[in-house]
Amino acid sequence: MRHLIATTAIVLAAGSAVAQDAPFGTEVDTDYAAQLWSVMEEIDMVGDGMVQSYPYPGVAPHGMMLETFYTEATVEGHTGELIVKRNYGPEGVTEGDVLADPDTHLAAITVMFRREEGYDADNQDWFWAKYLPDGSLDKNPKGMELAGRVAKGADQGCIACHSGSENYLFTNASIGQ
């Protein structure tokens, strides 16, 4: 019996360690993403009355038409760079379609927020999130919410793609370069 209890404790402790070491989608990540969404609402980056710009052609995985905003935001007392990319679709959508009815064509909002030093020094402290238009988090095929160090260590995904740029940022002028 003692052996069974000890084995159970080891298995539970190992499961807990794995959950804490998950690179993204943890409860801490999703709570932070919810706070970030609220801040973006306050500064009119998302939601009713959000600031609009002229959309430009995009590429996968973001969308056929995009709007990108570079600004700053403060979350939990930390002010950092904020990049908000609105992803419009479906395939074939035009600038005119998006300008005429952005809500119908908005598929997702992808966000990079530079957190405090030490958050993820390997990746310049960027926090990543992919929201659906209603502010809920999108999920990967395994059901993990896309917030935090999304796809850290993977061969593809947010960090793998953006690490190809010196500062992890691409502008519409650098797409395809």
Side-chain angles (χ1 to χ4, degrees), residues 23 81 121 133:
E81 296 171 73

Side-chain angles (χ1 to χ4, degrees), residues 113-166:
F113 178 66
R114 193 181 308 259
R115 292 204 43 185
E116 61 282 351
E117 189 174 327
Y119 166 73
D120 185 6
D122 296 339
N123 298 293
Q124 298 182 10
D125 299 314
W126 288 109
F127 177 89
W128 312 80
K130 182 176 182 184
Y131 301 92
L132 298 175
D134 67 0
S136 63
L137 287 166
D138 199 1
K139 296 179 181 178
N140 72 5
K142 293 182 179 181
M144 295 177 69
E145 292 180 305
L146 299 175
R149 298 169 184 93
V150 177
K152 182 172 181 160
D155 293 335
Q156 56 185 339
C158 299
I159 293 174
C161 181
H162 283 262
S163 66
S165 171
E166 183 179 324

Side-chain angles (χ1 to χ4, degrees), residues 99-123:
L99 290 169
D101 192 3
D103 292 341
T104 295
H105 299 287
L106 183 61
I109 300 162
T110 49
V111 173
M112 295 171 62
F113 178 66
R114 193 181 308 259
R115 292 204 43 185
E116 61 282 351
E117 189 174 327
Y119 166 73
D120 185 6
D122 296 339
N123 298 293

Side-chain angles (χ1 to χ4, degrees), residues 53-74:
S53 73
Y54 195 83
Y56 62 93
V59 295
H62 289 288
M64 299 298 100
M65 297 301 300
L66 305 171
E67 288 179 300
T68 304
F69 300 88
Y70 300 84
T71 189
E72 288 187 338
T74 302

